[in-house]
Amino acid sequence: MTGWDFAIFAALTACLLGGSFFGARRAETFLVADRRVGLFPLTATLVMTEFNTATLLAFAAVGYRVGPRAIGLSAVFLIGLAWYTITVARKWKQYNGISVAGWFSRRYGPALGRTAAVLLILAMLGFSATYVKSLTLLLMPMLGGVSPWLVSGGLCLAIAAVTASGGLASVVRLDVLGFLLTLVLLPTLLAIGWWKHHGLDAWRTASASGAPLELEYWLRWDDPQLPWSFVISLVALTCLTYICAPWYGQKIFAAANERTAVASVAAASLLVFLLYASVQVAASLLAADAAELSDPQLAVPLMIQLWLPVGLRGLAYAVLLAVATTTLAGVWSAMVAMSVSDFGSSWIDRVNVQRGLTVLFATASWLGGNLLVDDILNRLILANIPVAALAFALLGGFYWAGASRAGAWASIVVGTLWGVFCFVYWGEAGGYTWYWAILGIPLIFGSGVIVSWLFPDGSATLAASPNRDVFGTRSDRSTLAMSKT
């Protein structure tokens, strides 16, 4: 990194963070951005919520190791977010609450709702720890011998300050800026790598088979580097976990209307796929320059150092910082929304409490990233266990009047225990995600259906009515106005 790179990095970082550093004085602004986010900013914030440095490093590492076949992993997001668009995007906007766990409380009672909140907060702590770790790995080459604890601590402090200042409104502003810069950086990186190595020739030279574009290469079911069973299991699990994801739900609650919510998720599914696929293709070309990379998770910073000219390297690191910042800010914002709406109704209008919680979650993420995360992709997948366990309770509650409280409890317990058992028994080396997905999905839904039939509720309460939330909406306000007249 040259002086010019550092100067550009510092200037862009100051613009990105400074442009989002505006205080929120109202709780509704802090948590759901006044529910006025339009199509473009909502699409941008959804893309940047999913496009994170943890997955970026992990997926680029797979691209470096296995070549262009790695884009099968990127299809996970295309299918997962498309499933979200079809099944729950409209439903969540109709609920229009503060946190997704609040819907579980309304449908099945406060005890289950708070249990769902605990599971989701634990999952998000795991996710955010991997994001902190990945961002630290990205910036360490630029910062030389600085301690990872200091690097990650400074990053968490800066991101927490932005999030605590303006809440979701600040997150959306930051996401838009980061989204625009990402659309410039990643295609540029891919174009330079393709031009430098003549694309197809580089793949043929670097591939062990000598012809990575042959059909046999794409159909390697049991390839230890990337077995298709692993990809298929991730697709299935992603479809289960995304529909319950608080970091998406909170953004949907902030949408201006139902049409905006649905269209934004649909657009985000394609954009996220293209962004991750472009990084994986670029990383697959890097093998021609660095055939024996000691840690493939460092493929992205190495591409930046080798391929980009002076000045653009500083821009690239600023964009990566924006990518990590937007994801962490979005997750922490969702955690705060869940905490105040599901565990402390008296806090719902206290912005200072929400800011304090942001700092608390940032500290926990910093400690987790430095103490608990080694392999980023595997820790990221593991954190999804408690989220996937909520799938039957959510879809059953949205689409089946017969889904009972007992059935929801049974499916959550079975889903959580089965996911943990698969990880302990088969482990990462044994491909536990395959057993978790292929056997776990029937167990989660089967237990929920059977117990719901055996122990039905006395009077099932369907999903939340539209246009109602804890702040009061136009339907509540119009009723209040009529009562006064």
Side-chain angles (χ1 to χ4, degrees), residues 301-349:
L302 185 58
M303 285 189 288
I304 292 172
Q305 291 182 32
L306 294 179
W307 294 354
L308 295 184
V310 173
L312 280 183
R313 288 195 291 264
L315 170 66
Y317 279 112
V319 172
L320 293 176
L321 177 61
V323 168
T325 299
T326 55
T327 303
L328 275 170
V331 171
W332 291 342
S333 180
M335 293 167 75
V336 170
M338 193 168 296
S339 299
V340 301
S341 63
D342 296 297
F343 293 101
S345 58
S346 61
W347 301 344
I348 196 67
D349 58 350

Side-chain angles (χ1 to χ4, degrees), residues 246-304:
W247 50 95
Y248 289 136
Q250 192 191 13
K251 305 295 179 66
I252 297 300
F253 301 149
N257 51 59
E258 290 180 32
R259 181 177 296 180
T260 297
V262 174
S264 296
V265 182
S269 67
L270 179 60
L271 289 168
V272 170
F273 164 72
L274 292 174
L275 288 172
Y276 277 125
S278 67
V279 172
Q280 290 187 300
V281 173
S284 71
L285 298 169
L286 178 65
D289 283 333
E292 299 294 336
L293 187 58
S294 59
D295 185 358
Q297 294 181 128
L298 298 178
V300 172
L302 185 58
M303 285 189 288
I304 292 172

